[in-house]
Amino acid sequence: MGGSGDWPVDGEVRAGITVRNTGSRAGAEIVQLYLHDPVAQVTRPVVRLIGYARVPLEAGESARVTFTVPADVTSFTGTHGRRIVEPGAVELRFGRSSAETAASLPLRLVGAERQVGHQRRLQAPAHIDRNPPEGRG
């Protein structure tokens, strides 16, 4: 993705966040990724869970969680009864829950409205890159 925040209606975007265990004991963080679509042609949920990852972390350890999000996850049934990806503003939100946003990424879907079929990709797989705890190898 370029610096403009453009996301092709037939492409994918990578979005990531770094989490750190600042405690003195091992634990786990559940990183959740939500889609917010404020301007769709039909009423949509305020936010919709599109990906998540459970990240076990040792004390002091951090990890980068990156989701690969196909534009198909933004698809919905439009006013003409077809499932479409619609150009326009959307936002990806990271959080522990839908009510607790830790970071957001505003994006703009660009291109012509695109109809999607049964082969649509509706999962946003996560990749976790671990960093060792500070002071350890």
Side-chain angles (χ1 to χ4, degrees):
M1 180 184 82
S4 66
D6 286 350
W7 182 7
V9 295
D10 60 352
E12 60 185 29
V13 68
R14 290 175 49 88
I17 191 168
T18 300
V19 293
R20 176 181 302 278
N21 180 350
T22 58
S24 59
R25 292 187 278 174
E29 181 69 67
I30 305 296
V31 177
Q32 298 179 10
L33 181 64
Y34 292 88
L35 172 70
H36 173 59
D37 186 349
V39 293
Q41 61 182 250
V42 297
T43 302
R44 305 281 315 277
V46 174
V47 293
R48 182 168 55 95
L49 180 67
I50 59 170
Y52 65 91
R54 183 178 186 278
V55 186
L57 295 167
E58 295 296 325
E61 186 180 24
S62 65
R64 179 83 177 164
V65 181
T66 304
F67 293 89
T68 302
V69 187
D72 290 359
V73 302
T74 70
S75 67
F76 60 93
T77 302
T79 56
H80 298 292
R82 297 181 319 238
R83 190 152 189 101
I84 59 169
V85 174
E86 181 180 52
V90 294
E91 186 177 82
L92 298 178
R93 296 178 179 174
F94 292 95
R96 291 184 176 101
S97 73
S98 62
E100 187 180 344
T101 300
S104 61
L105 177 62
L107 297 166
R108 176 163 297 281
L109 284 158
V110 296
E113 180 178 292
R114 179 174 68 90
Q115 186 171 342
V116 296
H118 296 292
Q119 285 74 33
R120 62 188 180 265
R121 297 184 305 151
L122 297 178
Q123 295 184 347
H127 177 78
I128 301 169
D129 287 317
R130 299 187 168 288
N131 297 313
E134 291 180 20
R136 293 193 199 166

